[in-house]
Amino acid sequence: MWRVHRELAVSKILGALGCAGLAVFWYANGDVRGVMLAVPAALLVGAMGLRDLLVPVRLSVSEDGITVVHGFAGRRHVPWADVRDVKVEVRRRYGLRSEMLEIDTGDHLHIFSAHELGASPTEVAAVLRRRGT
């Protein structure tokens, strides 16, 4: 079972509260542009933090398949027979290296970052490949 670290979810909620605080500050000072930036940021970061708190487990493995988060907070069970490919996409940009786990089930492509899994996508892919065979 791979999940979002609780600290990451809490930091997103704190970031949303910070953005909301900025919106109130800018509103009090008559800065409409600042409010127009801070309110959507607070809503977006707050929604992401809420999702992390409501559905912390992004991927779990069982004998008969995997269960993935689908949509905002839904879950979808995928039998091993439907898992077509498990791979890790590695990208380098601006001197940074990022990995994304891709699980192809034919009708859907489920993509997970290291932050969502709380582990390295390469390690998770190795576990999935061993269990799926």
Side-chain angles (χ1 to χ4, degrees), residues 1-2 59-63 65-66 80 83 86-88 101 103 117 119-133:
M1 172 171 37
W2 294 277
L59 174 65
S60 62
V61 177
S62 64
E63 294 299 320
I66 61 173
W80 285 117
V83 177
V86 175
K87 70 178 184 176
V88 177
L101 175 67
I103 302 172
L117 298 171
S120 166
T122 302
E123 295 171 6
V124 175
V127 170
L128 291 176
R129 288 183 189 118
R130 279 195 305 269
R131 294 290 297 263
T133 56

Side-chain angles (χ1 to χ4, degrees), residues 9-25 38-39 41-47 49 53:
V10 170
S11 65
K12 288 178 184 177
I13 297 296
L14 291 175
L17 291 174
C19 288
L22 281 174
V24 169
F25 173 76
V39 169
L43 293 174
L44 179 64
V45 175
L53 290 176

Side-chain angles (χ1 to χ4, degrees), residues 11-125:
S11 65
K12 288 178 184 177
I13 297 296
L14 291 175
L17 291 174
C19 288
L22 281 174
V24 169
F25 173 76
W26 284 328
Y27 179 76
N29 289 321
D31 185 0
V32 177
R33 288 179 291 184
V35 173
M36 289 176 24
L37 289 173
V39 169
L43 293 174
L44 179 64
V45 175
M48 290 173 16
L50 182 63
R51 179 183 188 219
D52 290 349
L53 290 176
L54 292 176
V55 190
V57 176
R58 295 293 201 258
L59 174 65
S60 62
V61 177
S62 64
E63 294 299 320
D64 57 337
I66 61 173
T67 302
V68 296
V69 169
H70 190 71
F72 183 77
R75 296 188 189 277
R76 181 170 180 246
H77 180 74
V78 180
W80 285 117
D82 292 345
V83 177
R84 293 185 179 177
D85 191 24
V86 175
K87 70 178 184 176
V88 177
E89 182 70 29
V90 179
R91 294 195 176 173
R92 287 181 171 76
R93 190 169 188 181
Y94 302 119
L96 299 175
R97 181 179 187 272
S98 65
E99 295 181 346
M100 300 293 276
L101 175 67
E102 296 181 358
I103 302 172
D104 184 4
T105 61
D107 56 345
H108 290 93
L109 181 64
H110 302 279
I111 301 174
F112 301 95
S113 69
H115 298 294
E116 288 182 295
L117 298 171
S120 166
T122 302
E123 295 171 6
V124 175

